Amino acid sequence: MIERISGLPEGIDGIRCAGKLTREEYDTVVLPIVDDALRQDRRLRVLVEITGFDGITPSAAFEDINLGLRALSSWAGCAVVTDVAWIGNVMPFTAFLMPFPVHRFPTADRERAVQWLTDLPTGASLTHRVLPDQGVVVVEASGPIGVADVESLAAAVDGWLAEHPTLHGLVLHAPAVPGWENIRGLTHHLRFVLAHHRRVEKVALAVDGTMASIGAAVASRVLHAEVRRFPATDVDAAIAWASGAA
């Protein structure tokens, strides 16, 4: 059974699943939600409550895949609310593979799930600025890195490298290691690093935490660039070092 959940905040759609899921239910409940989002050019924020699961018919499985592929770029995030143990166990792996944020909440935390969907960022997790006098790009991270973030950063760095042989420094400033939204964000980031690290002289991590220290130590061994970590409060010192002024 699939039924629509009413009474949610504006911009959030909800469905409740139990028992065995059929193609007819996908057509009458899920398909209109996706079609409305595509028609209105809005990002899908979906609350999925699963109270029980007895399987899915082959035609429903096909429709699930078809809908997912058709609306993949339209998802902003999905909150799965369930106490079904095996679903909770596989959710971390599934979430990492999805090209949008997915998070699982126990049934008792349903309101927190709704708030998580409401608070999903509408803008980029990375912002950057080019300091032309220093030959440095400063990256500010406010959340997990996604594909669009990497593409925007790559465009800025490529714009500089089109007119200069190297970039003196790249500075990442964040309160802690931001991580990645999903596996696509990670792979795009790795491709960016592989494509650019030989033309970047220095990388400064103005990031707090043990993971930042470990990341800097590992990066210094595998990257062409010189790598150094600074406290997050010392971003000005990180910029000065990356530019060669300190």
Side-chain angles (χ1 to χ4, degrees), residues 128-138 156-157 159-161 163-171 201 239 242-245:
H128 59 267
R129 63 186 192 275
V130 179
L131 308 180
D133 292 341
Q134 291 99 321
V136 171
V137 174
V138 180
V157 172
W160 175 270
L161 293 176
E163 300 180 4
H164 304 83
T166 62
L167 178 69
H168 291 326
L170 182 66
V171 178
E201 297 172 11
I239 293 171
S243 68

Side-chain angles (χ1 to χ4, degrees), residues 150-200:
V150 178
E151 289 176 347
S152 178
L153 175 60
V157 172
D158 288 342
W160 175 270
L161 293 176
E163 300 180 4
H164 304 83
T166 62
L167 178 69
H168 291 326
L170 182 66
V171 178
L172 173 64
H173 182 215
V177 174
W180 301 271
E181 282 186 356
N182 44 52
I183 195 169
R184 289 186 67 226
L186 171 60
T187 55
H188 272 65
H189 189 194
L190 291 176
R191 288 172 186 166
F192 167 80
V193 171
L194 290 173
H196 296 86
H197 77 102
R198 293 191 177 278
R199 296 184 65 186
V200 178

Side-chain angles (χ1 to χ4, degrees), residues 8 10 18 24 30 37 40 47 89 95 97 99 104 116 118 127 147-148 189 192 194 200 203 215 222 241 243-244:
L8 295 173
E10 184 178 357
E24 291 74 22
V30 181
Q40 298 168 16
L47 179 78
N89 291 336
L97 293 177
R104 179 254 175 183
W116 178 80
T118 302
T127 58
V147 172
H189 189 194
F192 167 80
L194 290 173
V200 178
V203 174
V222 299
W241 174 80
S243 68

Side-chain angles (χ1 to χ4, degrees), residues 49-110:
E49 292 186 4
I50 304 175
T51 58
F53 185 72
D54 296 330
I56 183 170
T57 65
S59 60
F62 175 81
E63 183 65 8
D64 187 25
I65 295 170
N66 182 47
L67 281 174
L69 292 174
R70 183 156 61 90
L72 201 60
S73 63
S74 296
W75 284 81
C78 179
V80 179
V81 177
T82 186
D83 289 332
V84 179
W86 72 266
I87 294 178
N89 291 336
V90 303
M91 278 301 300
F93 176 73
T94 302
F96 191 67
L97 293 177
M98 291 295 100
F100 51 85
V102 179
H103 195 74
R104 179 254 175 183
F105 298 84
T107 301
D109 288 345
R110 181 184 187 275

Side-chain angles (χ1 to χ4, degrees), residues 9-34:
E10 184 178 357
I12 297 178
D13 297 293
I15 58 175
R16 184 178 292 111
C17 306
K20 193 163 189 174
L21 311 185
T22 68
R23 169 67 182 269
E24 291 74 22
E25 291 167 336
Y26 265 89
D27 289 344
T28 58
V29 179
V30 181
L31 185 59
I33 292 174
V34 173

